[in-house]
Amino acid sequence: MSSEYAKQLGAKLRAIRTQQGLSLHGVEEKSQGRWKAVVVGSYERGDRAVTVQRLAELADFYGVPVQELLPGTTPGGAAEPPPKLVLDLERLATLPSEKAGPLQRYAATIQSQRGDYNGKVLSIRQDDLRTLAVIYDQSPSVLTEQLISWGVLDADARRAVASHEES
């Protein structure tokens, strides 16, 4: 693995970790020692090569697809990826269950499957939004507007949904 590639991979690893609000020691704590802070830090600096198996395990730990961690996965690196769909779990917890019960249960199921209990945010896929739209008997764009009005989704989610509906 070239040194430049290792540094780009490390930058992606660091970006994912910090997006989740984790310090290196936080990773070690959350993983109950499975991922040592010093090892993850050396991957992030590009000082240590990571095997494909370990990268897949780390991606699973972070709850992201492996390709999210690989450098150069955006075509030419020029196109800006659509914004992620990120649920604000703290805001979701404050909503009445008559309104948000199905979404709360769906989010809890995803958290359970991923073993991701940070309690602050949860990334969901376009497919998840389509499933939720069926549950709420609305189109994905109408549901997106509703979730934005509830404060559960950021307004940038409109772009992600619009770009997906165009393709």
Side-chain angles (χ1 to χ4, degrees), residues 12 64-71 73:
K12 287 229 177 185
V64 300
V66 175
Q67 60 267 27
E68 285 292 314
L69 301 178
L70 299 175
T73 50

Side-chain angles (χ1 to χ4, degrees), residues 123-144:
S123 295
I124 62 170
R125 299 180 187 105
Q126 291 286 344
D127 288 344
D128 295 320
L129 186 66
R130 281 197 299 274
T131 301
L132 286 164
V134 170
I135 292 168
Y136 278 93
D137 195 25
Q138 297 176 344
S139 72
S141 55
V142 169
L143 179 61
T144 299

Side-chain angles (χ1 to χ4, degrees), residues 111-130:
Q111 284 181 291
S112 172
Q113 289 172 340
R114 292 182 188 169
D116 178 3
Y117 298 103
N118 74 16
K120 295 179 182 168
V121 296
L122 180 71
S123 295
I124 62 170
R125 299 180 187 105
Q126 291 286 344
D127 288 344
D128 295 320
L129 186 66
R130 281 197 299 274

